[in-house]
């Protein structure tokens, strides 16, 4: 991927003045909160659909394998983000390691993930609101519209305000998870985990009711417990001390997500039954209602607070997609007008364009499972390239100053790389049509780069400056 040659367009001296983010808006605590916020909706809804694919045993295997993959990858990203702290994050890392084509491919895969994940979350927000009977809703598209308009509007107003609000919403969601765990623990019965009848597939059993193939399909939903935590480095240019704060923030976030995900995976189906939870749009409050034989105050509290968890992830992933699109556009990989910023230094076009696409997808499909598979396809492709970037940079530039070094070095990210490749294949097992269409869109984006945008890059963009500096140093040697 590093062999593609690029040409740089001429831009005037004011180009970057209209494309500036707000510096120093976040420390490591806010970054850890951002990492948890990206993902916490995965604890409230979406993961349970994996029970329908592989049963509880299949989803348990998926959780363990994907937990290992993410943990190994997060250690690699902690090193990369401390080494190359730019808003491009994954695209910037891959740009340095794999060249412009590898960088663009990574950035587009991340963009697919982050543009579609909020659409999936919006459908779950609609499901939680319908479960509460709020506003007499029977059709959720107005909920999707209001969700996008309100939270994109807050992001346009300012990043500091947005991150602090996100942190507060996430704190409410974490409290809801604790309440859920405390409420379900007394009603836990291990037999409930295995109440799905085996379907006769190869290797089917009470533990794996859909057999080995079901466990592979469940990988997509195991990913949903952690999807988007890799977005923490996207805040690099808005961080007070990126070399120290980014590694600390993303690692702390990952540890929190491992604990919260494990609790929900065991207690929710363990109290309410894997079969009942396999199709639920609002599994946590529904589990409490089933466990206690009807509606309770605790179930209602979790239902309302569950909305906070979904909103936190929606809110924070909107932040992530805007920064990824901003960085790709600022460097000329995508149309440069998409990186324009407001007087509050927020990328308003990069917020609005994917938001519009996401709303249309949510309103047209109203299918959270479908949207999860599309988002996971983009995510897993990016994971392959991100882990490969860590390995290549360790080999190619061993003396590059690093603020943090990955425990286990390239062995750690090699484990993540292998698991990411398996996860890419799993998206085709779950829904070959959705994965294939997404792959075609990804291929079309690569064609756009090859035939057009690689001839119109911006040399003064930070990620391109990093690459040019590396090339100059290599020529001197």
């Amino acid at each position: 991927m590093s062999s593609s040659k690029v040409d740089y367009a001429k831009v005037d001296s004011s180009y970057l003045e209209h494309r500036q983010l707000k510096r120093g808006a976040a420390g490591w605590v806010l970054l850890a909160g951002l990492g948890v916020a990206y993902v916490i909706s995965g604890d409230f809804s979406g993961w349970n659909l994996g029970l329908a694919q592989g049963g509880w045993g299949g989803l348990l295997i998926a959780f363990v394998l994907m937990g290992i993959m993410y943990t190994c990858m997060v250690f690699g990203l902690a090193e990369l983000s401390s080494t190359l702290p730019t808003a491009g994050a994954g695209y910037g890392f891959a740009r340095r390691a794999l060249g412009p084509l590898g960088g663009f491919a990574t950035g587009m895969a991340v963009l697919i993930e982050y543009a579609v994940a909020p659409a999936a979350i919006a459908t779950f927000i609609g499901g939680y609101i319908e479960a509460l009977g709020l506003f007499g809703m029977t059709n959720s598209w107005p909920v999707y519209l209001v969700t996008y308009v309100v939270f994109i509007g807050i992001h346009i107003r300012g990043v500091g305000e947005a991150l602090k609000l996100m942190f507060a919403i996430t704190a409410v969601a974490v409290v809801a998870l604790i309440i859920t765990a405390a409420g379900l623990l007394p009603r836990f019965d291990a037999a409930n985990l295995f109440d799905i009848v085996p379907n006769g597939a190869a290797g089917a059993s009470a533990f794996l009711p859909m057999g080995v193939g079901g466990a592979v399909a469940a990988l997509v939903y195991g990913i949903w417990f952690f999807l988007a935590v890799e977005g923490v480095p996207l805040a690099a240019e808005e961080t007070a001390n990126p070399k120290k704060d980014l590694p600390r923030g993303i690692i702390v976030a990952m540890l929190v997500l491992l604990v919260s995900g494990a609790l929900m995976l065991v207690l929710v189906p363990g109290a309410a039954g894997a079969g009942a939870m396999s199709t639920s749009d609002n599994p946590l409050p529904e589990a409490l209602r089933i466990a206690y034989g009807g509606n309770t105050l605790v179930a209602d509290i979790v239902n309302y607070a569950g909305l906070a968890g979904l909103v936190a992830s929606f809110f924070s992933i909107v932040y992530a997609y805007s920064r990824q699109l901003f960085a790709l556009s600022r460097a000329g990989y995508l149309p440069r007008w998409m990186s324009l910023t407001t007087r509050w230094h927020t990328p308003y076009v990069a917020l609005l364009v994917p938001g519009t696409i996401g709303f249309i997808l949510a309103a047209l499909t109203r299918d959270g499972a479908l949207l999860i598979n599309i988002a996971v396809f983009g995510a897993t492709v990016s994971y392959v390239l991100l882990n490969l970037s860590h390995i290549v940079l360790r080999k190619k530039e061993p003396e590059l100053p690093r603020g943090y070094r990955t425990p286990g070095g390239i062995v750690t990210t090699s484990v993540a790389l292998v698991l990411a490749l398996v996860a890419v294949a799993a998206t085709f097992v779950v829904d070959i049509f959705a994965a294939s269409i997404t792959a075609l869109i990804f291929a079309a984006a690569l064609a756009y780069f090859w035939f057009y945008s690689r001839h119109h890059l911006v040399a003064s963009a930070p990620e391109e400056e990093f690459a040019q500096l590396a090339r100059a140093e290599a020529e001197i040697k």
Side-chain angles (χ1 to χ4, degrees):
M1 287 192 179
S2 60
S3 60
S4 55
K5 294 181 180 179
V6 298
D7 302 308
Y8 290 106
K10 291 183 179 180
V11 295
D12 59 43
S13 58
S14 65
Y15 179 79
L16 291 181
E17 291 178 11
H18 300 290
R19 293 163 172 82
Q20 295 289 325
L21 300 175
K22 186 175 180 180
R23 302 280 178 174
W28 78 266
V29 175
L30 271 182
L31 290 173
L34 178 63
V36 174
Y38 280 145
V39 189
I40 199 166
S41 68
D43 287 333
F44 284 93
S45 203
W47 64 267
N48 56 300
L49 302 177
L51 295 168
Q53 295 289 337
W56 187 80
L59 189 55
L60 173 65
I61 292 170
F63 177 85
V64 171
L65 290 177
M66 295 301 95
I68 292 170
M69 180 189 77
Y70 272 92
T71 302
C72 291
M73 182 175 70
V74 158
F75 283 130
L77 289 174
E79 177 178 314
L80 290 169
S81 64
S82 73
T83 307
L84 303 167
T86 68
Y91 135 64
F93 308 151
R95 171 66 180 90
R96 180 71 173 250
L98 307 176
L101 177 57
F104 179 73
T106 304
M108 280 307 303
V110 171
L111 197 53
I112 289 171
E113 170 193 357
Y114 288 164
V116 177
I121 295 167
T123 67
F124 298 136
I125 290 174
Y128 266 66
I129 286 178
E130 287 184 30
L132 286 167
L134 296 178
F135 317 117
M137 285 287 180
T138 57
N139 188 321
S140 293
W141 77 261
V143 175
Y144 310 157
L145 180 61
V146 170
T147 302
Y148 272 100
V149 170
V150 169
F151 294 112
I152 286 176
I154 294 171
H155 274 295
I156 289 175
R157 180 60 184 83
V159 64
E161 294 81 356
L163 288 177
K164 289 172 185 174
L165 178 59
M166 173 277 302
F167 192 85
I169 296 171
T170 303
V172 172
V174 170
V175 170
L177 292 178
I178 294 171
I179 291 172
T180 300
L184 293 178
L185 185 60
R187 303 299 172 118
F188 174 80
D189 182 348
N192 289 332
L193 300 172
F194 310 108
D195 66 356
I196 296 177
V197 178
N199 67 359
S205 64
F207 182 72
L208 290 176
M210 288 77 173
V212 176
V216 174
L219 290 174
V220 169
Y221 301 94
I223 286 173
W224 196 244
F225 281 107
F226 311 107
L227 183 134
V229 69
E230 74 278 4
V232 171
L234 287 164
E237 291 183 29
E238 294 154 289
T239 301
N241 185 351
K243 287 187 177 294
K244 291 184 178 179
D245 291 342
L246 288 170
R248 190 180 301 175
I250 194 171
I251 290 170
V252 169
M254 187 64 207
L255 293 174
V256 172
L257 294 168
L258 285 167
V259 172
S260 65
L263 286 172
M264 295 306 103
L265 174 62
V266 173
L267 293 177
V268 171
M277 293 296 95
S278 66
T279 57
S280 177
D281 283 337
N282 55 322
L284 272 60
E286 188 172 333
L288 286 163
R289 292 181 180 114
I290 291 173
Y292 286 91
N295 201 26
T296 64
L297 177 61
V298 172
D300 282 343
I301 290 173
V302 170
N303 210 149
Y304 280 103
L307 281 172
L310 295 168
V311 165
S313 289
F314 181 94
F315 194 41
S316 55
I317 297 176
V318 165
Y319 170 88
Y321 77 54
S322 68
R323 270 48 182 184
Q324 186 66 86
L325 179 53
F326 166 81
L328 287 169
S329 170
R330 180 178 61 181
Y333 288 89
L334 293 175
R336 294 199 291 270
W337 54 267
M338 291 184 177
S339 58
L340 290 171
T341 53
T342 67
R343 62 189 177 91
W344 301 296
H345 301 297
T346 53
Y348 69 99
V349 182
L351 284 161
L352 291 170
V353 171
T356 302
I357 294 170
F359 166 70
I360 292 171
L361 285 173
L364 289 179
T365 68
R366 300 178 193 172
D367 187 342
L370 170 69
L371 295 170
I372 284 175
N373 201 55
I374 294 172
V376 168
F377 175 86
T380 51
V381 170
S382 75
Y383 299 163
V384 170
L385 296 169
L386 286 171
N387 287 299
L388 185 61
S389 296
H390 178 267
I391 294 166
V392 169
L393 273 180
R394 273 292 190 96
K395 294 283 189 180
K396 189 168 71 173
E397 300 187 61
E399 303 304 320
L400 192 65
R402 291 165 167 85
Y404 173 88
R405 297 186 72 86
T406 303
I410 64 172
V411 173
T412 299
T413 43
S414 294
V415 171
L417 174 61
V418 171
L419 290 171
L421 287 167
V422 173
V424 172
T427 64
F428 289 89
V429 173
V430 172
D431 188 336
I432 190 170
F433 177 76
S436 298
I437 292 297
T438 312
L440 287 174
I441 293 170
F442 182 65
L446 295 182
Y448 170 80
F449 165 81
W450 189 260
F451 292 108
Y452 179 78
S453 70
R454 73 187 178 106
H455 302 298
H456 299 83
L457 301 186
V458 177
S460 55
E463 295 82 6
E464 295 306 304
E465 287 187 334
F466 271 130
Q468 292 177 77
L469 179 61
R471 186 165 56 250
E473 289 174 348
E475 289 173 357
I476 290 171
K477 293 177 181 178

